[in-house]
């Protein structure tokens, strides 16, 4: 089996949405260890900056934390300008922002006879606004960053989007 390494990623620049979250933090740490210049994008700019400093101190990597809303195109464009201003371009986008809402889930996996009288406590009682919010975060929150951060990759015909 061919040995693989991440050495070819060294020096590349990456934006990771949700990079201050649990999954994002693990990915950012690995990228930083591989020499990838990484921008952590989070709705909470302070959290992103703190996480960038923490991981940068740990790995010696070149990181920055940026406030950005994956559901707001103008916010994303401002973040892209900051990353391009710092590193000249964006080579990699990792869409790690996402989540769920207790209002869009139900504990009942199936409806039993005794549930018929209380359908509002099952799937049928879930709030459509909660579904919309979760859909927007997980779908639009991937689509919009891909459109904004991927544009330069498309123009250069080079880059990676996950």
């Amino acid at each position: 089996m061919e040995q693989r390494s991440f050495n070819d990623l060294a020096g590349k620049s990456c934006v990771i949405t949700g990079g201050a979250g649990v999954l994002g933090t693990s990915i950012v740490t690995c990228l930083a260890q591989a020499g990838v210049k990484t921008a952590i994008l989070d709705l909470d700019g302070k959290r992103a900056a703190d996480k960038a400093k923490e991981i940068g101190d740990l790995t010696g990597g070149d990181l920055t934390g940026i406030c950005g809303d994956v559901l707001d195109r103008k916010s994303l464009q401002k973040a892209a300008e900051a990353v391009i201003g710092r590193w000249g371009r964006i080579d990699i986008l990792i869409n790690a922002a996402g989540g769920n809402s207790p209002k869009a889930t139900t504990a009942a996996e199936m409806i039993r006879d005794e549930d018929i009288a209380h359908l509002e406590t099952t799937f049928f009682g879930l709030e459509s606004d909660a579904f919309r919010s979760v859909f927007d975060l997980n779908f639009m929150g991937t689509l919009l960053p891909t459109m904004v951060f991927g544009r330069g990759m498309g123009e250069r015909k080079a880059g990676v989007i996950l």
Side-chain angles (χ1 to χ4, degrees):
M1 178 177 239
E2 179 184 344
Q3 282 283 54
R4 299 201 184 264
S5 76
F6 293 104
N7 293 339
D8 60 332
L9 297 177
K12 302 282 186 188
S13 63
C14 174
V15 172
I16 179 166
T17 67
V22 174
L23 178 61
T25 295
S26 295
I27 295 169
V28 170
T29 302
C30 292
L31 291 171
Q33 290 170 337
V36 178
K37 300 175 279 191
T38 306
I40 298 172
L41 185 80
D42 198 90
L43 194 54
D44 182 340
K46 181 177 180 339
R47 181 176 174 205
D50 290 348
K51 191 57 70 175
K53 180 173 180 355
E54 174 190 328
I55 296 171
D57 289 347
L58 177 71
T59 64
D62 186 359
L63 291 95
T64 187
I66 299 176
C67 181
D69 182 348
V70 296
L71 298 176
D72 181 340
R73 192 176 194 138
K74 287 182 182 178
S75 171
L76 295 169
Q77 289 168 332
K78 183 177 177 184
E81 290 169 7
V83 174
I84 292 166
R86 181 173 177 137
W87 294 315
R89 67 186 199 192
I90 298 165
D91 299 304
I92 304 164
L93 168 64
I94 299 175
N95 288 295
N100 202 349
S101 167
K103 293 180 180 181
T105 59
T106 179
E109 292 184 25
M110 54 191 282
I111 298 173
R112 300 175 309 252
D113 289 340
E114 58 267 22
D115 296 325
I116 299 299
H118 307 284
L119 287 178
E120 70 278 354
T121 65
T122 69
F123 166 82
F124 298 105
L126 293 175
E127 300 176 22
S128 60
D129 286 344
F131 275 112
R132 189 170 290 109
S133 175
V134 171
F135 177 83
D136 284 351
L137 177 59
N138 291 290
F139 182 77
M140 297 303 292
T142 297
L143 179 70
L144 291 174
T146 299
M147 293 170 78
V148 171
F149 296 111
R151 184 177 184 97
M153 294 181 219
E155 291 168 351
R156 286 192 326 274
K157 298 181 183 177
V160 174
I161 299 173
L162 302 174

